[in-house]
Amino acid sequence: MEPLVTTTRSRSVIVEAPVEVVFDFVTAVNNWTRCHPGNTGITGPGEKHVPLGVSFIEHARLGDSGPDLDLEWIVIVDETNKHWAVELGESPWDMERIEIHYEFEPHDGGTRFRRTTKFVGDANARFQTSNDLAGNAVDNADDQYLDKVAEAIASDLAKA
C-alpha cells in the first residue's frame, strides 16, 4: 500500500448576513441543492440544522454526463455558529477519507464563511487533488458553491 497523503483545499467568501443566519443555512443541508454544483438532492434530515453524529445522503452528479453518486455524510464537528464539519462514509474514489469543514466568523457586520476540504488517500488516488486538474476542479466548484450560498442568503433575507 502506498503511503497516505493529505491534501487540503480552502476557499472563503464574505456573506452580508449575521453568522447565525449563514450557519443555519449551511447546516440545513437541503439548502445544498440550491447552491452546490452537482447536488441533485438530499435524503435524510436536512430541513433544519443537522447535529453531531447524524448522517444524510447527498445525491450528486459529477459534470453534465458524470456518474450519479449517493454520498453518505456524517456530521463530525458541530460548534454552533463557529465550525461544522462532515466526513464522507464510503468514498467512490480511491480515498481513505474526505472531510469538509465549514467555518463561520463575524466580519464587518457580515460573515466570513470558509469551506475547507481535506482529502486523505494514497499518492496515486484517482481523485487526488494535489494535481492541477483535479485541484482546479475542486476550487471552481467551491467558488461556485460559496457564491451561491451568499446569493441564496441575500435572496432569502430580501424576501423576509
Side-chain angles (χ1 to χ4, degrees), residues 11-139:
R11 310 296 268 191
S12 67
V13 67
I14 303 300
V15 180
E16 300 299 326
V19 168
E20 304 80 30
V21 171
V22 180
F23 182 87
D24 289 346
F25 182 89
V26 171
T27 63
V29 296
N30 283 358
N31 287 324
W32 290 11
T33 59
R34 295 174 61 189
C35 302
H36 201 284
N39 182 297
T40 60
I42 299 288
T43 299
E47 291 292 324
K48 296 182 180 179
H49 168 83
V50 180
L52 183 67
V54 174
S55 63
F56 57 93
I57 306 292
E58 175 186 19
H59 307 287
R61 171 171 284 162
L62 296 181
D64 294 333
S65 60
D68 290 327
L69 303 170
D70 292 326
L71 306 171
E72 182 179 12
W73 296 98
I74 186 165
V75 178
I76 59 170
V77 176
D78 186 8
E79 299 172 13
T80 303
N81 299 328
K82 292 181 183 164
H83 184 194
W84 188 81
V86 294
E87 181 176 56
L88 184 60
E90 187 174 318
S91 173
W93 305 283
D94 298 332
M95 304 300 293
E96 289 290 320
R97 186 171 70 251
I98 298 175
E99 294 178 6
I100 304 175
H101 292 259
Y102 301 91
E103 296 170 285
F104 311 82
E105 59 185 64
H107 182 81
D108 292 337
T111 301
R112 178 178 301 281
F113 170 46
R114 177 174 288 110
R115 183 179 196 268
T116 302
T117 307
K118 182 162 81 172
F119 302 88
V120 180
D122 72 53
N124 297 317
R126 279 185 298 158
F127 200 70
Q128 188 54 263
T129 61
S130 58
N131 74 62
D132 289 340
L133 182 60
N136 289 339
V138 170
D139 289 347

Side-chain angles (χ1 to χ4, degrees), residues 15 34 144-157:
V15 180
R34 295 174 61 189
Q144 289 176 41
Y145 169 74
L146 293 168
D147 289 345
K148 287 184 178 185
V149 166
E151 292 168 10
I153 291 172
S155 175
D156 289 354
L157 290 173

